[in-house]
Amino acid sequence: MKLLHECKGATRIGISGHIRPDGDCISSCLAIYGYLKKYMPKNSYIKVYLEKPAAVFSELKGFEDIVTDFPEEESFDVFFIMDCSIERIGEAQKYAQTAKKRINIDHHISNSGTGDVNYVKPQVGSASELVYDLIVTDGGEEALDKELAKIIYTGMIHDTGVFQYSNTNQKTMETGGKLVAYGFDFPRLIEETFYQRTYLQTQVLGRALMESIRFMNGTCIVSCMEKKHMDFYGATSQDLDGIVNQLRNIKGVHCAIFMYEIGNLEYKVSMRSDEIVNVAEVAGYFGGGGHMRAAGCTMQGTFHDCVNNLSKHIEEQLLQNGAI
Ligand code: 5GP
Ligand code: MN
């Protein structure tokens, strides 16, 4: 796929990604935005629509331009759906549905391609790396600049856990290497957007770890945050990012589940695993999706119903792989 070729003649271009946008989603949107702003005709109308992104990403170029209130708009000539399939872009669906052309760029195994043009590569660690590949295919390395490099690098570190998760390969590292050559302060970027937590975030993390429960012989662990406790700390869903990774770090755990209440008897579920459990498959049974080792879904029922339903599928896999 050639980005500028696909946008040829378009004067109205929209960009969106999944609800509760994470680092890779925000970065892949801003990278497409920055690239098109730079190379499309100056009078083009180009907008990014996302739910309110976390403030730690505010130093990425274009962050201030993100539209978070989904106003009425005339139809777009081209609409980009980033880091997810069309069903997961929330309110932005209204723009995608009426657009003349939808372009879906994603790296989720659960996405079979939901645009008129699709660039879906499940073997690639982040949607931001896909944007890097597309930009370089379009205009060569010269098409990039320091700001675009910093945006793409941010997305890559978030989805690969700073080049540590199993979705990292030689090419991911080489791309990371080429990006840091642009000279932005990458250690600070990693520290401030990935590792640093506010005091509030540390408190809710502590509480979630304290209240976690292991089951199936210590191979699984679950923790849950109720709405009233989120309210007590003043925590939003953005403050809960990263808790599930900490649960997954525990020795002996093959599958970690973190859930938080989003409505009456309704929970957002995040799962992380190692090579023993494919959580994308588990999430898929409940209408969610994601990657083999990081996936999520939304579930209805009590906490115990949800855990019981999830554990049936997890147990099957643990048994199949001889882990229990
Ligand atoms: P997280 O647990 O960090 O929210 O998400 C882990 C991975 O699973 C991400 O790649 C995310 O996009 C995906 N994911 C999380 N929740 C859902 C969901 O409800 N539906 C789908 N299709 N993917 C999800
Ligand atoms: Mn992603």
Side-chain angles (χ1 to χ4, degrees):
M1 180 175 72
K2 291 269 202 178
L3 278 176
L4 293 180
H5 176 75
E6 292 295 343
C7 295
K8 203 161 179 237
T11 55
R12 295 178 55 81
I13 300 176
I15 303 162
S16 189
H18 56 79
I19 52 170
R20 302 185 197 96
D22 58 11
D24 183 39
C25 175
I26 295 162
S27 298
S28 57
C29 288
L30 288 181
I32 286 280
Y33 176 69
Y35 179 68
L36 296 179
K37 280 287 242 194
K38 191 168 167 184
Y39 292 103
M40 287 297 288
K42 286 290 158 258
N43 58 353
S44 311
Y45 183 82
I46 308 174
K47 292 279 171 194
V48 181
Y49 302 93
L50 285 174
E51 287 182 2
K52 196 169 183 299
V56 286
F57 300 108
S58 62
E59 63 173 283
L60 299 181
K61 190 172 177 196
F63 181 91
E64 302 298 328
D65 299 344
I66 296 174
V67 180
T68 57
D69 59 354
F70 305 95
E72 290 312 312
E73 287 278 9
E74 279 171 34
S75 67
F76 287 97
D77 299 316
V78 175
F79 199 86
F80 284 88
I81 299 149
M82 305 300 299
D83 196 31
C84 65
S85 46
I86 195 167
E87 301 79 32
R88 259 189 103 212
I89 59 173
E91 271 202 67
Q93 277 202 38
K94 63 185 178 194
Y95 308 133
Q97 271 154 7
T98 55
K100 297 199 182 85
K101 185 199 274 184
R102 286 154 287 268
I103 300 180
N104 192 185
I105 300 174
D106 190 16
H107 69 131
H108 285 89
I109 201 164
S110 44
N111 184 354
S112 51
T114 57
D116 303 302
V117 179
N118 298 297
Y119 191 75
V120 180
K121 309 269 170 205
Q123 70 281 14
V124 175
S126 58
S128 299
E129 188 180 339
L130 293 180
V131 179
Y132 171 88
D133 294 340
L134 287 168
I135 292 177
V136 171
T137 307
D138 244 17
E141 304 271 347
E142 315 80 76
L144 283 166
D145 55 41
K146 187 170 166 180
E147 294 298 342
L148 280 171
K150 180 172 159 183
I151 294 169
I152 294 170
Y153 186 82
T154 303
M156 289 179 69
I157 59 168
H158 276 261
D159 258 28
T160 62
V162 196
F163 304 107
Q164 188 235 322
Y165 303 154
S166 58
N167 58 4
T168 304
N169 57 30
Q170 184 179 349
K171 198 257 173 189
T172 328
M173 296 273 210
E174 283 166 358
T175 302
K178 286 180 189 154
L179 294 171
V180 297
Y182 282 88
F184 54 88
D185 187 352
F186 75 89
R188 191 180 60 78
L189 194 68
I190 294 173
E191 180 58 29
E192 290 181 3
T193 73
F194 193 79
Y195 288 112
Q196 209 169 63
R197 288 193 170 91
T198 61
Y199 181 61
L200 184 158
Q201 287 163 349
T202 311
Q203 280 192 308
V204 289
L205 167 67
R207 183 172 181 128
L209 297 180
M210 290 255 295
E211 297 197 339
S212 63
I213 303 163
R214 287 193 300 172
F215 58 105
M216 284 197 267
N217 247 347
T219 57
C220 296
I221 191 161
V222 64
S223 185
C224 180
M225 178 96 26
E226 287 174 42
K227 175 90 174 46
K228 64 175 183 228
H229 293 134
M230 289 174 68
D231 291 347
F232 173 78
Y233 291 103
T236 68
S237 63
Q238 283 172 2
D239 296 312
L240 308 176
D241 272 356
I243 292 178
V244 68
N245 291 321
Q246 293 296 327
L247 292 168
R248 166 58 206 102
N249 274 341
I250 295 164
K251 196 169 162 66
V253 167
H254 293 304
C255 183
I257 306 169
F258 176 71
M259 31 202 288
Y260 63 91
E261 204 180 356
I262 52 174
N264 189 27
L265 293 180
E266 183 165 278
Y267 291 91
K268 174 77 192 110
V269 177
S270 277
M271 290 182 280
R272 297 292 183 272
S273 60
D274 58 10
E275 64 288 350
I276 306 284
V277 179
N278 177 348
V279 283
E281 207 179 293
V282 179
Y285 283 113
F286 301 101
H291 309 287
M292 267 157 66
R293 293 174 198 176
C297 56
T298 299
M299 291 179 81
Q300 267 86 29
T302 64
F303 165 71
H304 287 101
D305 291 340
C306 296
V307 176
N308 278 337
N309 289 331
L310 289 166
S311 38
K312 273 181 223 141
H313 296 280
I314 298 167
E315 187 177 20
E316 238 167 60
Q317 294 196 28
L318 289 169
L319 283 167
Q320 248 166 36
N321 294 315
I324 49 170

